[in-house]
Amino acid sequence: MAEQTPEQRLWSAVLAQTLYDMQEIPKPGKIKPRHDGAFPLSVRGWQAYMRSRDFQAMCALAEQDPEYVARVANRILRDRDTGSLVKKYRLTMG
């Protein structure tokens, strides 16, 4: 893979942060408001986002395969209580 442009590195970082954020979604029944009073996005919300044009565009801008990223994201959502999972999956982020 060729070296990423600054824009591709930026979008790769946005994508990586999105995956890290997924690890913070609480299990059902354990949802509490954040320190700012807002509630975190639900698993269903993330799954809907992964089917959106915005998600497809973000993956394209980061030069990542959206189907692979969605598979990784679904594993993170499924196994999110097992510690830091993002680093277990091979995403070329920057």
Side-chain angles (χ1 to χ4, degrees), residues 1-5 7-16 19 58-65 68-69 72 86-94:
M1 178 182 232
E3 188 172 327
Q4 290 185 319
T5 67
E7 291 82 11
Q8 291 164 336
R9 285 194 302 272
L10 170 68
W11 283 105
S12 292
V14 170
L15 182 55
L19 296 175
M58 180 171 53
C59 289
L61 290 166
E63 290 197 344
Q64 297 292 327
D65 176 21
Y68 176 73
V69 174
V72 169
V86 173
K87 63 185 176 186
K88 291 183 181 180
Y89 301 106
R90 295 174 190 244
L91 289 174
T92 307
M93 298 296 177

Side-chain angles (χ1 to χ4, degrees), residues 15-23 68-69 72-73 75-77 79-80 82-93:
L15 182 55
Q17 185 62 51
T18 300
L19 296 175
Y20 278 110
D21 289 348
M22 287 180 177
Q23 296 179 109
Y68 176 73
V69 174
V72 169
R75 288 181 195 148
I76 290 168
L77 291 172
D79 301 331
R80 63 191 175 276
T82 61
S84 182
L85 295 166
V86 173
K87 63 185 176 186
K88 291 183 181 180
Y89 301 106
R90 295 174 190 244
L91 289 174
T92 307
M93 298 296 177

Side-chain angles (χ1 to χ4, degrees), residues 27-84:
K27 291 283 188 176
K30 296 183 180 181
I31 297 176
K32 297 177 183 172
R34 298 185 318 222
H35 67 281
D36 61 1
F39 283 87
L41 192 59
S42 68
V43 170
R44 286 186 184 156
W46 280 113
Q47 289 170 333
Y49 177 70
M50 288 186 290
R51 292 188 300 273
S52 73
R53 287 184 181 167
D54 289 343
F55 176 76
Q56 299 292 319
M58 180 171 53
C59 289
L61 290 166
E63 290 197 344
Q64 297 292 327
D65 176 21
E67 290 180 16
Y68 176 73
V69 174
R71 283 194 310 272
V72 169
N74 282 319
R75 288 181 195 148
I76 290 168
L77 291 172
R78 182 191 66 219
D79 301 331
R80 63 191 175 276
D81 283 342
T82 61
S84 182

